[in-house]
Amino acid sequence: MRELNKLSAAGLKGLPEGKHGDGGGLWFHRRADGGAQWFLRVVVHGKRREMGLGRYPDVSLKEARGNADRGKALARAGIDPIKDRERKRREALSRLHVLKDIAEDAFESRKAELKDDGTAGRWFTPLELHVLPRLGKVPVSEIDQRDIRDTLAPIWHEKADTARKAMNRLSICLRHAAALGLEVDLQATEKAKALLGKQRHIAKNVPSMPWQEVPAFYQSLDDSITELALRLLILTGLRSKPIRFARLDQIESNVWTVPAEMMKGRKDATTEFRVPLSTEALAVIEMASKFERDGFLFPNQRRGVISDATMSRYMERKEIEARPHGFRSSLRTWCAEATDAPWEVAEMCLGHSVGSGVERAYKRTDYLEKRAGLMERWANLLNRKSDDIVRLLS
């Protein structure tokens, strides 16, 4: 007989990345981002099935074992536990009628394909803020294009991107309701777009800070996780995602190799990106290493890493109009106004692709050494006092 109950509740938190068996088909999976979930492996009609049993620590070891026992009992009876769960879920959902319930279930069904299981709220928030307050209690079969038009009209032009996302989510909810067997108008969102007309929206740049003011802000930051992350973001010119998911094993000597999937907007996005680290950046990383958990420099309090909004919220609390992403503009403007850095070197500092595909195929350089010197100068500027900068510019 296979050994059972090999895991302990006390030992779960310390388990490394990978899959760990409890015995009897129950497994604990620790993901690379620090999160974890349970799953059950059973064989039904000669076919192996893997059934998710919930996220840890939301589902305890004891609960996971109970869920696994029920799943195995069904399998022994020749019943696929996954299909049985889906059948019961469909029966329960067939009784749903109002949009709020449909929206919540559609969100639940898509969590697995969303980053961090949708915990950042970006998928559901447009519905929650702009659709459900007005249509949440309306039977989904009664929602038509006029309801949708009247709901989204107040933000259709003023908050065009948010309105577009809300319309997209609403369309998904209607398709989800149709899949549940409810009678809905699947064309209602397209008809609503026709009624609303083309969006009249002027894109606004992310607020940035004049580069002359960045040193004072930089020097105001202390050594908390959020403020160290902001310091590294300013020093490197990177977006927030590679900063938040920075790992010690990505850094060797004074070069940080950012994985390709962490880079945005590069035409050659299958290639990792090397970032030269200034002396100041290395010092910030050294300070951040005391917070390291599961290899991540900037872990969240519970699990995973700090959220995408963490640094922005910090600046909001300080009543600063600029946003973290805007420091990329500050750096680029400094390169243009205060240095003689070639255009392609300055662009590469931001991780932008330089030149056409043909040019990149022959000119295989990322200007690492030139960028290293430029970023060291940027770091030196950030540590200068404001009166020093005034003298430098005069």
Side-chain angles (χ1 to χ4, degrees):
M1 178 180 289
R2 294 180 179 177
E3 183 182 353
L4 298 176
N5 301 341
K6 293 188 287 186
L7 302 177
S8 67
L12 290 177
K13 290 184 178 180
L15 289 178
E17 176 185 345
K19 297 177 181 179
H20 308 272
D22 184 53
L26 176 61
W27 291 80
F28 178 83
H29 180 203
R30 173 74 69 185
R31 301 193 306 270
D33 63 3
Q37 66 264 342
W38 300 98
F39 68 93
L40 173 67
R41 285 177 178 168
V42 293
V43 176
V44 184
H45 305 307
K47 183 179 180 181
R48 193 175 84 170
R49 301 281 276 156
E50 287 193 358
M51 177 182 182
L53 298 179
R55 292 181 296 178
Y56 172 82
D58 296 343
V59 176
S60 67
L61 174 59
K62 182 178 179 180
E63 291 174 312
R65 285 171 177 166
N67 293 338
D69 288 341
R70 287 187 286 275
K72 288 185 287 186
L74 288 170
R76 285 194 296 270
I79 301 172
D80 187 325
I82 298 177
K83 291 183 177 179
D84 183 72
R85 181 170 65 183
E86 288 301 312
R87 177 185 60 78
K88 291 176 180 176
R89 189 159 162 250
R90 284 195 300 272
E91 290 175 356
L93 292 175
S94 66
R95 297 188 290 272
L96 297 178
H97 296 286
V98 299
L99 178 62
K100 181 177 183 295
D101 292 335
I102 294 294
E104 289 176 348
D105 187 66
F107 176 49
E108 191 68 31
S109 297
R110 280 156 181 77
K111 278 186 177 181
E113 63 193 63
L114 300 174
K115 187 172 72 173
D116 296 331
D117 291 333
T119 54
R122 290 186 170 184
W123 195 94
F124 198 73
T125 297
L127 288 172
E128 189 174 40
L129 294 181
H130 303 289
V131 177
L132 298 184
R134 183 161 183 163
L135 297 179
K137 296 181 180 179
V138 177
V140 69
S141 59
E142 296 180 12
I143 294 176
D144 62 21
Q145 63 270 25
R146 289 176 293 275
D147 296 318
I148 300 171
R149 176 199 61 189
D150 296 343
T151 298
L152 294 180
I155 64 169
W156 188 246
H157 298 295
E158 296 301 320
K159 298 181 179 179
D161 190 54
T162 300
R164 178 187 59 78
K165 291 178 181 177
M167 186 74 81
N168 171 266
R169 309 298 192 266
L170 186 53
S171 177
I172 291 173
C173 290
L174 293 178
R175 295 200 300 271
H176 190 79
L180 293 171
L182 300 176
E183 293 187 5
V184 295
D185 182 0
L186 292 176
Q187 299 301 316
T189 52
E190 292 302 316
K191 295 174 186 175
K193 289 179 184 177
L195 293 176
L196 288 163
K198 185 177 180 179
Q199 289 180 314
R200 184 175 60 253
H201 174 66
I202 299 175
K204 296 181 180 179
N205 292 326
V206 176
S208 62
M209 186 179 293
W211 66 263
Q212 296 90 340
E213 299 176 12
V214 178
F217 174 74
Y218 180 85
Q219 292 167 37
S220 73
L221 298 171
D222 62 23
D223 57 356
S224 68
I225 288 182
T226 300
E227 293 173 69
L228 285 172
L230 262 173
R231 289 170 68 177
L232 191 60
L233 179 142
I234 296 169
L235 284 162
T236 60
L238 288 170
R239 293 179 171 85
S240 66
K241 184 175 181 178
I243 297 293
R244 295 186 301 111
F245 285 90
R247 296 179 60 89
L248 288 174
D249 57 15
Q250 296 169 355
I251 299 166
E252 184 175 350
S253 185
N254 63 340
V255 176
W256 175 11
T257 303
V258 180
E261 63 269 19
M262 292 293 163
M263 298 300 295
K264 177 185 177 182
R266 287 173 61 83
K267 296 176 183 177
D268 52 349
T270 57
T271 306
E272 55 194 15
F273 181 63
R274 296 192 300 171
V275 178
L277 297 172
S278 63
T279 303
E280 176 71 6
L282 290 170
V284 169
I285 290 169
E286 179 65 26
M287 286 186 280
S289 63
K290 66 184 179 183
F291 298 110
E292 181 268 336
R293 188 178 69 230
D294 299 325
F296 294 107
L297 280 172
F298 304 109
N300 202 346
Q301 290 182 350
R302 293 185 60 189
R303 62 175 181 267
V305 299
I306 59 174
S307 76
D308 190 35
T310 301
M311 290 181 276
S312 291
R313 296 292 177 268
Y314 171 84
M315 298 184 74
E316 287 178 5
R317 290 195 300 272
K318 294 291 184 179
E319 298 183 351
I320 297 172
E321 182 182 0
R323 289 295 172 263
H325 189 80
F327 288 116
R328 288 167 55 81
S329 176
S330 305
L331 169 60
R332 187 62 183 87
T333 305
W334 171 78
C335 288
E337 294 183 350
T339 79
D340 57 357
W343 176 86
E344 58 269 24
V345 175
E347 285 293 292
M348 189 64 77
C349 283
L350 301 184
H352 290 164
S353 295
V354 176
S356 66
V358 174
E359 288 176 306
R360 293 195 303 275
Y362 286 95
K363 187 188 286 185
R364 300 175 186 177
T365 178
D366 59 2
Y367 304 101
L368 184 67
E369 291 187 11
K370 291 184 178 181
R371 285 191 290 132
L374 191 61
M375 298 311 287
E376 194 69 46
R377 290 172 60 188
W378 173 242
N380 290 338
L381 175 77
L382 295 175
N383 277 314
R384 283 196 180 119
K385 301 301 181 184
S386 58
D387 53 349
D388 292 333
I389 297 173
V390 170
R391 286 195 297 270
L392 183 68
L393 294 174
S394 60

